[in-house]
Amino acid sequence: MTHPILEHWPEISPHPIPSVIRPENEADLQRFLRSHSRPCVIAGNGSKWWLGNPLHPVETCIDMRGFHRVLEYSPGDLTVTAQAGISLGALQQDLLRQNQTLPVDPPLADQATLGGMVAIGTSGPLQQLFGSLRDKVLGMKVVHADGTITKAGGKVVKNVAGYDLCKLYTGSLGTLAIIVEVTLRVFPYPEETHSFAIDAPDGHMAREIFVALRNLPVAPAGVVYIERSGRPNRLIIRVCGSPQSIHDQLSHLATRFPGGEASQADLLISEFDSFYRNTLPFWLRADSLLSSITQVTQHIQQEKEPEWLVLDFSSRRCHFALSSTSVEKLQRIRNNLRGMNAVLVVEKAPLALKEQMDIWGSSREDLFLATKLRRALDPSGRLNPGRYVSAIYN
């Protein structure tokens, strides 16, 4: 048995390739975890294989694609419960039959599984209108490293008070527990989605336009600025809803920005998806505040002119694709960005570079709490060892 991430193993870990198992149910997964004590890597479709620090030695790759069913769907309550290995595309097809959707557009959404998407915790530009993926997770079932099964949250929008463990698991990169089931809040499917593109000379002008949108009767479903070698710089505003709503919003945009161009296509997701399919060897991400996002962008551009820049105002993230860089340059950029309340993440890079630095770049003083949580929930460090912030493994 094999798995797609094994094709990229030399770029994921310097250690031997693991064997692969594919449990079909919780009992299979429990039996494996209780009868084997060695570290393992958890994988869905492996579409985000490039994200994370180099893996420590692992014996087994747990292929979660056998968990691929919708378990419970209540269109009237706007909730759905599905297994972690279902693809986002398959889940959306089921929801579309009731004219509903899960409004997220993470990188390479067509390849993403539900569990992998939640483990990464990335929502995409739709976060501008619908909130983050973490906000949509209502409940979760997980299997811990010792085979214990626990549940968090519930299956309704309003849950009892207390600490929401779902928010802890979302974005933890599979280092705390194995997600096997997720309950989500869903939304009515927009009748139409259109785009409005505005030529913008630089990120500073794009930010001014984004701020100006607050004074218009427009509810963008994502606002992204793009610089790409050989193409004009432009800001793309996506709107969705009923035909009348879209017509009104596009009219307001055209009046305020007469040089802009409306399109019936979803230009934003097309550009965003293209970025995550490029073959350049280095992908960087800067997480920033809106107040300093253009300063952060300009600083990185001065250090190393990127071939591709995607500035997602929805999530306050700047994405860069480069043909070359060095550890020294990345460390210098990272140190300078800290003074701007920004963090540099090296999303994709050759393994040799990742082995010389922590790709997450987190220097928060409260990381000791994350270390305690990791030790409490996975004391032996069995799950995706080494993948997350280096400090939590100390």
Side-chain angles (χ1 to χ4, degrees):
M1 186 179 294
T2 186
H3 188 277
I5 70 166
L6 302 188
E7 300 172 12
H8 304 280
W9 196 255
E11 300 170 81
I12 296 173
S13 174
H15 303 288
I17 296 176
S19 60
V20 179
I21 66 161
R22 186 172 181 174
E24 298 296 328
N25 51 55
E26 294 166 12
D28 288 347
L29 184 56
Q30 271 190 309
R31 278 193 295 269
F32 171 79
L33 292 171
R34 288 173 174 172
S35 61
H36 295 76
S37 59
R38 300 290 295 169
C40 51
V41 57
I42 303 100
N45 278 330
S47 61
K48 313 300 186 301
W49 62 266
W50 35 265
L51 183 63
N53 283 314
L55 268 170
H56 294 173
V58 292
E59 184 177 88
T60 308
C61 171
I62 301 178
D63 182 349
M64 294 297 294
R65 292 177 295 177
F67 292 76
H68 54 72
R69 294 183 299 124
V70 173
L71 302 176
E72 185 177 338
Y73 180 26
S74 302
D77 295 329
L78 294 174
T79 61
V80 64
T81 301
Q83 292 182 310
I86 191 171
S87 70
L88 179 59
L91 177 60
Q92 297 284 36
Q93 286 181 1
D94 279 357
L95 298 176
L96 186 58
R97 295 188 183 100
Q98 297 293 330
N99 290 317
Q100 293 180 350
T101 184
L102 176 64
V104 292
D105 42 15
L108 305 173
D110 60 325
Q111 301 174 28
T113 58
L114 178 58
M117 186 175 67
V118 173
I120 296 297
T122 301
S123 307
L126 276 171
Q127 178 175 328
Q128 177 72 28
L129 183 61
F130 295 98
S132 69
L133 175 61
R134 181 177 271 119
D135 298 330
K136 300 177 185 67
V137 176
L138 303 176
M140 199 179 293
K141 181 189 286 188
V142 301
V143 181
H144 295 275
D146 63 357
T148 302
I149 296 177
T150 62
K151 294 182 179 180
K155 295 186 177 181
V156 295
V157 174
K158 291 184 178 180
N159 284 311
V160 295
Y163 189 81
D164 189 354
L165 286 172
C166 297
K167 288 181 168 56
L168 183 65
Y169 298 132
T170 303
S172 65
L173 219 68
T175 58
L176 300 179
I178 302 174
I179 300 169
V180 294
E181 181 181 307
V182 185
T183 299
L184 298 144
R185 180 188 179 194
V186 297
F187 291 74
Y189 187 82
E191 295 181 53
E192 295 182 11
T193 298
H194 290 211
S195 306
F196 191 82
I198 305 170
D199 289 341
D202 52 37
H204 179 73
M205 177 61 72
R207 180 185 175 278
E208 288 188 352
I209 295 173
F210 175 73
V211 172
L213 291 175
R214 298 173 176 177
N215 298 319
L216 296 178
V218 175
V223 181
V224 169
Y225 169 70
I226 298 160
E227 289 185 13
R228 185 176 175 184
S229 299
R231 296 191 180 185
N233 302 342
R234 60 178 181 170
L235 181 75
I236 299 176
I237 303 165
R238 176 173 56 188
V239 293
C240 59
S242 67
Q244 184 61 52
S245 170
I246 289 179
H247 175 270
D248 292 343
Q249 292 185 73
L250 292 178
S251 296
H252 288 298
L253 289 170
T255 300
R256 178 63 178 81
F257 308 106
E261 182 178 353
S263 171
Q264 295 185 4
D266 187 352
L267 301 177
L268 189 153
I269 196 58
S270 176
E271 292 281 4
F272 195 72
D273 192 60
S274 294
F275 176 87
Y276 278 101
R277 295 184 188 278
N278 82 74
T279 57
L280 292 166
F282 297 93
W283 300 349
L284 311 180
R285 188 186 84 213
D287 297 347
S288 172
L289 302 174
L290 179 60
S291 58
S292 59
I293 197 167
T294 53
Q295 183 184 4
V296 168
T297 304
Q298 289 170 358
H299 177 74
I300 295 177
Q301 289 176 309
Q302 289 168 0
E303 286 284 346
K304 180 66 179 181
E305 187 67 29
E307 280 80 358
W308 207 323
L309 161 66
V310 174
L311 205 169
D312 181 7
F313 288 103
S314 311
S315 61
R316 314 298 194 258
R317 286 180 167 177
C318 318
H319 303 268
F320 305 85
L322 312 171
S323 58
S324 65
T325 189
S326 65
V327 173
E328 294 73 23
K329 184 162 287 188
L330 292 174
Q331 293 286 25
R332 184 169 63 248
I333 293 173
R334 176 172 284 169
N335 291 336
N336 291 335
L337 292 192
R338 283 173 183 155
M340 306 175 196
N341 292 315
V343 176
L344 180 70
V345 176
V346 182
E347 287 197 327
K348 179 185 174 187
L351 183 64
L353 184 143
K354 286 189 173 186
E355 290 181 302
Q356 299 178 61
M357 64 185 299
D358 184 290
I359 71 105
W360 301 102
S362 180
S363 59
R364 292 174 51 151
E365 295 180 356
D366 57 357
L367 275 177
F368 73 93
L369 293 174
T371 303
K372 287 185 175 182
L373 283 168
R374 201 273 304 162
R375 289 173 179 170
L377 294 173
D378 182 18
S380 300
R382 293 187 60 192
L383 306 179
N384 285 356
R387 214 62 174 139
Y388 211 24
V389 181
S390 298
I392 71 171
Y393 297 98
N394 296 333

